[in-house]
Amino acid sequence: MALPSSASASAGERWPPLESSPDVFNQFMWSLGVPEDAAEFHDVYGLDADALEMVPQPVLAVILCSPDPPSQDADHSEQVLSSGDKQENWDRLYFIKQIESLGNACGTIGLLHAVGNVSSEINLVENSSLDMFFKSTAGVDPYERAVLLEKDDAMARAHSVAASAGVTELSVML
């Protein structure tokens, strides 16, 4: 199966939705260059003490699946990064702005945020997709990272493969 090029494909075709399941995210993350014995995703069934006790430890990151924020809250992440010296914040916190051309890449962006912010805990496979992407986006701002992600054919292909791995049928809402 050929993946459409970024020039001819719509954001939805290039970045279809990912199923929010540990199996899909684990295979996706491992295919990008996180060693299988270094990290894995698990479901969190609640935030009460009993539910959290079921989550394997240590927890390196959490990806939360939530609806889009109301428009007045949409730029909250940018406001957080705006405090103080922006470059210092970008060096400390790995963040990618989700731009319109990335379509349904929110799962990929969440994975990049999770792995990018625990890079001191995980040794990526050298020259893997994640290793190369993080090296190429080091020191650039969140918007530039988004543009680089949108143009990254290897990441888009891996995203597309992961999107096809889920078992949930997509419904078209009119």
Side-chain angles (χ1 to χ4, degrees):
M1 175 175 91
L3 182 69
S5 72
S6 60
S8 64
S10 73
E13 292 170 334
R14 186 166 166 86
W15 302 98
L18 292 179
E19 181 173 299
S20 181
S21 80
D23 291 337
V24 168
F25 271 78
N26 282 330
Q27 291 303 316
F28 185 30
M29 174 179 64
W30 297 333
S31 76
L32 292 173
V34 172
E36 289 187 33
D37 62 349
E40 61 186 353
F41 285 95
H42 295 274
D43 279 324
V44 175
Y45 296 107
L47 298 178
D48 58 86
D50 290 339
L52 292 176
E53 284 179 17
M54 295 188 298
V55 178
Q57 300 294 316
V59 173
L60 299 176
V62 175
I63 295 178
L64 177 66
C65 185
S66 67
D68 288 336
S71 60
Q72 69 267 21
D73 294 337
D75 292 326
H76 178 70
S77 55
E78 280 296 318
Q79 292 168 1
V80 169
L81 288 175
S82 296
S83 62
D85 178 17
K86 282 187 176 185
Q87 188 61 46
E88 179 183 318
N89 287 333
W90 297 328
D91 291 342
R92 214 177 47 226
L93 174 71
Y94 194 86
F95 179 74
I96 298 173
K97 183 170 179 63
Q98 184 156 356
I99 57 177
E100 189 173 336
S101 61
L102 285 170
N104 290 303
C106 52
T108 295
I109 292 171
L111 187 145
L112 291 169
H113 287 161
V115 175
N117 285 301
V118 297
S119 58
S120 63
E121 303 288 326
I122 296 174
N123 292 315
L124 298 174
V125 173
E126 193 167 338
N127 295 320
S128 65
S129 294
L130 284 176
D131 183 48
M132 301 301 287
F133 184 78
F134 288 136
K135 286 176 180 174
S136 72
T137 60
V140 301
D141 69 54
Y143 180 80
E144 291 174 88
R145 287 176 177 160
V147 170
L148 290 169
L149 175 60
E150 196 281 323
K151 294 177 179 178
D152 191 317
D153 289 334
M155 292 293 280
R157 262 190 306 278
H159 173 100
S160 188
V161 167
S164 67
V167 295
T168 304
E169 280 190 47
L170 291 177
S171 62
V172 178
M173 299 180 76
L174 300 175

